Amino acid sequence: MNFTGLEGYRKAAEQACRLYLWEREREISLLQLSENATFLLKDLTDGRPRQVMRVSRIGYHSVKEIEAELQWLLRLQSGNRVKAVCPLPNGQGRFLTVTKAEGQEYVCVVFSYLEGYHPDAADTVRARRDFYEIGRIAALLHEDIAEWSGAGTLDRPRWDWEHMVGRQGLLGDWRQCRDLTRQQYDLLDETCCRIRRRLISYGEREDNFGLIHSDLRAANLLKKDGVMQVLDFDDCGFGWHLYDLAGTFSFLEDNIRLEQWVRAWLEGYETVLPLRKEDIREIPTMIMARRIQLLAWITSHEDSDPVREMYAGFAGKTAELAERYQRFCRFDRKGEEEDV
């Protein structure tokens, strides 16, 4: 899943820029290599950032899947409940631009440039307020989908067990991680089986499963003038609602303040939508599944900018969290999962 031929992505971005009716030319600079190649577009005259262009990683999403993502974003623009990044049309009025460079087709989308600061878990004063707000926004997104009769027909991935932590994981397969000892591997394998059993028992219903953002972590949020803005719907798909909670706490699973942050998130969520005891009980399962999914992502995305910053020790810490999760659960004689 690594990037090859980065120059092709840049050429694709340059070609796409020519199709937009801007008064002045744009300077293109690489912003980040992560799931896709993201470029910052600056006004060539005054140097100010104006837009952001995403050039999708080849083979990650189909054109139909990207169109479905944009449908949701455009729907959010027409309402006033959630402030989300806005896709911009090219000169032909299309929000999706397909270009060709070095014999390869690339899918490009230009978004408005948003200002603000990312929520920072290290800021103990703001963190609880921010997580409360993120929970509220997650509920507003889920409420919006529940009211959208066409949402179920959108062509988007499923974030079920197999595509999160199974061998067909959409972000990679954690089993390919070279840093796991045999004992750690076996522990994670057993943990995944336990996650699968619990999720099957939990089930998929209209009130707990649907189209979700799936990646509401700090890097995909910007707060300005007291308003939380949501970015990067690239991983939106059909999954459990509380997987959005797990996504919020990506890379924070071992933080000593996690429990109080989760409570704040839930308080914000329940100002909009109710949760049942069965939902609350599966929060540790969602968080553990997300953590293992992140291990798969790190393993399969060695070329990603964020991976280089967090790779060291991530596998071992994931195994420690899995051991803690196993203590949370036990398997009774009837073969049903119970909480200790």
Side-chain angles (χ1 to χ4, degrees):
M1 300 179 78
N2 292 336
F3 276 97
T4 57
L6 178 58
E7 188 58 29
Y9 287 86
R10 180 179 292 278
K11 289 180 179 179
E14 291 171 351
Q15 288 185 29
C17 269
R18 299 189 191 109
L19 299 177
Y20 284 79
L21 301 179
W22 293 316
E23 293 181 1
R24 291 178 285 195
E25 293 185 25
R26 294 291 187 261
E27 176 189 359
I28 302 174
S29 59
L30 182 65
L31 189 60
Q32 188 178 66
L33 276 180
S34 184
E35 208 55 58
N36 307 290
T38 306
F39 296 91
L40 182 62
L41 308 183
K42 294 182 179 180
D43 190 304
L44 199 58
T45 303
D46 60 19
R48 292 181 56 190
R50 299 293 186 179
Q51 295 89 16
V52 172
M53 180 183 291
R54 184 186 73 198
V55 183
S56 295
R57 184 190 291 256
I58 296 170
Y60 185 51
H61 284 308
S62 68
V63 168
K64 286 186 176 181
E65 286 176 334
I66 298 171
E67 287 175 340
E69 171 202 355
L70 299 181
Q71 277 184 261
W72 192 11
L73 279 172
L74 292 171
R75 174 183 167 86
L76 291 173
Q77 306 305 316
S78 64
N80 58 6
R81 290 186 291 183
V82 176
K83 175 70 174 177
V85 65
C86 180
L88 304 174
N90 60 25
Q92 298 174 326
R94 297 173 182 171
F95 292 92
L96 185 151
T97 304
V98 178
T99 61
K100 195 169 185 178
E102 300 183 348
Q104 177 68 54
E105 283 192 345
Y106 296 85
V107 181
C108 309
V109 180
V110 171
F111 299 95
S112 56
Y113 177 80
L114 297 180
E115 297 179 340
Y117 69 86
H118 296 292
D120 184 2
D123 187 335
T124 56
V125 176
R126 287 178 171 174
R128 196 182 189 285
R129 293 199 304 266
D130 287 344
F131 287 128
Y132 175 97
E133 182 63 14
I134 296 168
R136 191 182 73 86
I137 286 172
L140 288 172
L141 290 173
H142 300 164
E143 186 178 55
D144 178 71
I145 292 302
E147 296 171 357
W148 186 7
S149 60
T153 64
L154 295 177
D155 193 343
R156 291 301 302 177
R158 278 180 60 85
W159 292 115
D160 51 19
W161 179 88
E162 184 60 43
H163 295 102
M164 290 190 298
V165 298
R167 294 187 182 277
Q168 302 302 314
L170 295 175
L171 298 185
D173 184 0
W174 64 266
R175 297 161 188 81
Q176 303 301 316
C177 180
R178 298 186 296 271
D179 289 358
L180 291 170
T181 66
R182 186 70 219 183
Q183 184 178 8
Q184 290 171 333
Y185 180 100
D186 291 342
L187 173 62
L188 290 180
D189 192 47
E190 180 185 349
T191 300
C192 285
C193 291
R194 177 152 287 176
I195 289 170
R196 182 175 182 272
R197 290 193 294 265
R198 291 192 73 108
L199 291 179
I200 289 174
S201 177
Y202 183 43
E204 300 176 9
R205 305 181 313 277
E206 287 185 2
D207 65 344
N208 76 353
F209 192 96
L211 187 63
I212 61 174
H213 183 282
S214 88
D215 200 15
L216 286 173
R217 56 195 175 96
N220 295 328
L221 299 160
L222 283 173
K223 193 169 186 179
K224 183 181 181 183
D225 299 330
V227 177
M228 194 74 75
Q229 306 166 109
V230 187
L231 318 175
D232 196 1
F233 282 65
D234 183 49
D235 281 339
C236 70
F238 294 95
W240 287 277
H241 290 167
L242 284 180
Y243 201 63
D244 267 339
L245 179 150
T248 299
F249 299 108
S250 298
F251 309 109
L252 298 173
E253 298 88 355
D254 59 340
N255 194 290
I256 60 173
R257 294 187 175 87
L258 179 64
E259 187 175 342
Q260 70 184 62
W261 291 340
V262 167
R263 284 199 300 269
W265 195 100
L266 293 172
E267 288 172 12
Y269 191 95
E270 290 190 295
T271 62
V272 180
L273 292 174
L275 290 169
R276 305 175 309 154
K277 289 182 179 179
E278 294 91 331
D279 303 319
I280 304 299
R281 190 165 59 236
E282 292 311 322
I283 288 174
T285 297
M286 299 296 173
I287 291 176
M288 192 68 243
R290 175 63 171 181
R291 176 70 184 209
I292 296 175
Q293 184 189 44
L294 292 174
L295 177 61
W297 177 72
I298 282 178
T299 299
S300 62
H301 288 67
E302 295 177 354
D303 61 340
S304 172
D305 293 337
V307 165
R308 299 186 183 97
E309 302 173 9
M310 60 187 67
Y311 187 91
F314 194 86
K317 179 57 70 173
T318 302
E320 290 178 21
L321 291 168
E323 189 173 9
R324 187 189 307 172
Y325 173 74
Q326 292 279 27
R327 291 197 297 269
F328 164 79
C329 303
R330 70 180 171 84
F331 202 69
D332 71 1
R333 293 178 183 177
K334 296 180 181 180
E336 297 175 350
E337 289 287 341
E338 294 182 350
D339 303 336
V340 176

Coordinates of all heavy atoms in Angstrom, one line a residue, residues 266-298:
L266 N -19.2 10.8 25.6 CA -20.6 10.2 25.8 C -21.6 11.3 26.2 O -22.7 11.3 25.8 CB -20.5 9.0 26.7 CG -19.7 7.8 26.3 CD1 -19.6 6.8 27.4 CD2 -20.4 7.2 25.1
E267 N -21.1 12.1 27.1 CA -22.0 13.2 27.6 C -22.4 14.1 26.4 O -23.6 14.5 26.3 CB -21.3 14.0 28.7 CG -21.2 13.3 30.0 CD -20.3 14.1 31.0 OE1 -20.0 15.3 30.7 OE2 -20.0 13.6 32.0
G268 N -21.5 14.4 25.6 CA -21.8 15.2 24.4 C -22.7 14.5 23.4 O -23.7 15.0 22.9
Y269 N -22.4 13.2 23.2 CA -23.2 12.4 22.3 C -24.7 12.3 22.7 O -25.6 12.5 22.0 CB -22.6 11.0 22.2 CG -23.2 10.1 21.1 CD1 -22.6 10.0 19.9 CD2 -24.4 9.4 21.3 CE1 -23.1 9.3 18.8 CE2 -24.9 8.6 20.3 CZ -24.3 8.6 19.0 OH -24.8 7.8 18.0
E270 N -24.9 12.1 24.1 CA -26.2 11.9 24.6 C -27.0 13.2 24.7 O -28.2 13.1 25.1 CB -26.2 11.1 25.9 CG -25.7 9.7 25.7 CD -25.9 8.8 26.9 OE1 -25.2 9.1 27.9 OE2 -26.7 7.8 26.9
T271 N -26.5 14.3 24.4 CA -27.3 15.5 24.3 C -28.1 15.5 23.0 O -29.0 16.3 22.8 CB -26.4 16.8 24.3 OG1 -25.5 16.8 23.1 CG2 -25.6 16.9 25.6
V272 N -27.7 14.6 22.1 CA -28.4 14.5 20.8 C -29.1 13.2 20.6 O -30.3 13.1 20.2 CB -27.4 14.6 19.6 CG1 -28.1 14.5 18.2 CG2 -26.6 16.0 19.7
L273 N -28.4 12.1 20.9 CA -29.0 10.7 20.7 C -28.8 9.9 22.0 O -27.7 10.0 22.6 CB -28.3 10.0 19.5 CG -28.6 10.6 18.1 CD1 -27.7 9.8 17.1 CD2 -30.0 10.4 17.8
P274 N -29.7 9.0 22.3 CA -29.6 8.1 23.5 C -28.7 6.9 23.2 O -28.5 6.5 22.0 CB -31.0 7.7 23.8 CG -31.7 7.7 22.4 CD -31.0 8.8 21.6
L275 N -28.1 6.4 24.2 CA -27.3 5.1 24.1 C -27.9 4.1 25.1 O -28.4 4.5 26.2 CB -25.9 5.4 24.4 CG -25.1 6.2 23.3 CD1 -23.7 6.6 23.9 CD2 -24.9 5.4 22.0
R276 N -27.8 2.9 24.8 CA -28.3 1.8 25.7 C -27.1 1.2 26.5 O -25.9 1.5 26.2 CB -28.9 0.7 24.9 CG -30.1 1.1 24.0 CD -30.6 0.0 23.1 NE -29.4 -0.7 22.5 CZ -29.5 -2.0 22.1 NH1 -30.5 -2.7 22.3 NH2 -28.4 -2.5 21.5
K277 N -27.4 0.5 27.5 CA -26.4 -0.2 28.3 C -25.5 -1.1 27.4 O -24.3 -1.2 27.6 CB -27.0 -1.0 29.5 CG -27.6 -0.1 30.6 CD -28.1 -1.0 31.7 CE -28.7 -0.1 32.8 NZ -29.3 -0.9 33.9
E278 N -26.2 -1.8 26.5 CA -25.5 -2.7 25.6 C -24.5 -1.9 24.7 O -23.4 -2.5 24.4 CB -26.5 -3.4 24.6 CG -27.4 -4.3 25.4 CD -28.7 -3.7 25.8 OE1 -28.7 -2.5 26.1 OE2 -29.7 -4.4 25.9
D279 N -24.8 -0.7 24.4 CA -23.8 0.1 23.6 C -22.6 0.5 24.5 O -21.5 0.3 24.0 CB -24.5 1.4 23.1 CG -25.7 1.2 22.3 OD1 -25.7 0.2 21.5 OD2 -26.7 1.9 22.5
I280 N -22.9 1.0 25.7 CA -21.8 1.4 26.6 C -20.9 0.2 26.9 O -19.6 0.3 26.9 CB -22.3 1.9 27.9 CG1 -23.3 3.1 27.6 CG2 -21.2 2.4 28.8 CD1 -22.7 4.3 26.9
R281 N -21.4 -1.0 27.0 CA -20.6 -2.2 27.4 C -19.6 -2.5 26.3 O -18.6 -3.1 26.6 CB -21.6 -3.4 27.6 CG -20.9 -4.6 28.2 CD -21.8 -5.6 28.8 NE -22.8 -6.1 27.8 CZ -24.1 -6.0 27.9 NH1 -24.6 -5.4 28.9 NH2 -24.9 -6.5 26.9
E282 N -19.9 -2.2 25.0 CA -19.0 -2.5 23.9 C -18.0 -1.5 23.6 O -17.2 -1.6 22.6 CB -19.8 -2.9 22.7 CG -20.6 -4.2 22.8 CD -19.8 -5.3 23.4 OE1 -18.6 -5.5 23.0 OE2 -20.4 -6.1 24.2
I283 N -17.9 -0.4 24.4 CA -16.9 0.6 24.1 C -15.4 0.1 24.2 O -14.6 0.3 23.3 CB -17.1 1.8 25.1 CG1 -18.3 2.6 24.7 CG2 -15.8 2.7 25.1 CD1 -18.7 3.7 25.6
P284 N -15.1 -0.7 25.2 CA -13.7 -1.3 25.2 C -13.4 -2.2 24.0 O -12.3 -2.2 23.5 CB -13.7 -2.2 26.5 CG -14.7 -1.5 27.4 CD -15.8 -1.1 26.5
T285 N -14.5 -2.9 23.5 CA -14.3 -3.7 22.2 C -14.0 -2.8 21.0 O -13.1 -3.1 20.2 CB -15.5 -4.5 22.0 OG1 -15.7 -5.4 23.1 CG2 -15.4 -5.3 20.7
M286 N -14.7 -1.7 20.9 CA -14.5 -0.7 19.8 C -13.1 -0.1 19.9 O -12.4 0.0 18.9 CB -15.6 0.4 19.8 CG -17.0 -0.1 19.7 SD -17.3 -0.9 18.1 CE -19.0 -1.4 18.4
I287 N -12.7 0.3 21.1 CA -11.4 0.9 21.2 C -10.3 -0.1 20.9 O -9.3 0.2 20.3 CB -11.2 1.5 22.7 CG1 -12.2 2.7 22.8 CG2 -9.8 1.9 22.9 CD1 -12.2 3.3 24.2
M288 N -10.4 -1.4 21.4 CA -9.4 -2.4 21.1 C -9.4 -2.7 19.6 O -8.3 -2.9 19.0 CB -9.7 -3.7 21.9 CG -8.6 -4.6 21.9 SD -7.1 -4.0 22.9 CE -5.9 -4.0 21.6
A289 N -10.5 -2.8 19.0 CA -10.5 -3.1 17.5 C -9.8 -2.0 16.8 O -9.1 -2.2 15.8 CB -12.0 -3.3 17.1
R290 N -10.1 -0.7 17.2 CA -9.5 0.4 16.5 C -8.0 0.4 16.7 O -7.2 0.6 15.7 CB -10.0 1.7 17.1 CG -9.4 3.0 16.5 CD -9.6 3.1 15.0 NE -9.2 4.4 14.6 CZ -9.2 4.8 13.3 NH1 -9.7 4.0 12.4 NH2 -8.8 6.1 13.0
R291 N -7.5 0.0 17.9 CA -6.1 0.0 18.1 C -5.4 -1.0 17.3 O -4.3 -0.8 16.7 CB -5.8 -0.3 19.6 CG -4.4 -0.5 20.0 CD -3.6 0.8 19.9 NE -2.2 0.7 20.2 CZ -1.4 1.6 20.7 NH1 -1.9 2.8 21.1 NH2 -0.1 1.4 20.9
I292 N -6.0 -2.2 17.1 CA -5.4 -3.2 16.3 C -5.5 -2.8 14.8 O -4.5 -3.1 14.0 CB -6.1 -4.6 16.5 CG1 -5.9 -5.1 17.9 CG2 -5.6 -5.7 15.5 CD1 -6.6 -6.3 18.3
Q293 N -6.5 -2.1 14.4 CA -6.6 -1.6 13.1 C -5.5 -0.6 12.8 O -4.9 -0.6 11.7 CB -8.0 -0.9 12.8 CG -8.2 -0.5 11.4 CD -9.4 0.4 11.2 OE1 -9.7 1.3 12.0 NE2 -10.2 0.1 10.2
L294 N -5.2 0.2 13.8 CA -4.1 1.2 13.7 C -2.7 0.5 13.5 O -1.9 0.9 12.8 CB -4.0 2.1 14.9 CG -5.2 3.1 15.0 CD1 -5.1 3.9 16.3 CD2 -5.3 4.0 13.8
L295 N -2.6 -0.7 14.2 CA -1.4 -1.5 14.1 C -1.3 -2.0 12.6 O -0.2 -2.0 12.0 CB -1.3 -2.6 15.0 CG -0.2 -3.6 14.9 CD1 1.2 -2.9 15.2 CD2 -0.3 -4.8 15.9
A296 N -2.4 -2.4 12.1 CA -2.4 -2.8 10.7 C -2.0 -1.7 9.7 O -1.3 -1.9 8.8 CB -3.8 -3.4 10.3
W297 N -2.6 -0.5 10.0 CA -2.3 0.7 9.2 C -0.8 1.0 9.2 O -0.2 1.3 8.2 CB -3.1 1.8 9.7 CG -2.9 3.1 8.9 CD1 -3.2 3.4 7.6 CD2 -2.2 4.3 9.4 NE1 -2.8 4.7 7.3 CE2 -2.2 5.2 8.4 CE3 -1.6 4.6 10.7 CZ2 -1.6 6.5 8.6 CZ3 -1.1 5.8 10.8 CH2 -1.1 6.8 9.8
I298 N -0.3 1.0 10.4 CA 1.2 1.4 10.6 C 2.0 0.3 9.8 O 3.0 0.7 9.2 CB 1.5 1.4 12.1 CG1 1.1 2.7 12.7 CG2 3.0 1.2 12.3 CD1 1.3 2.9 14.2

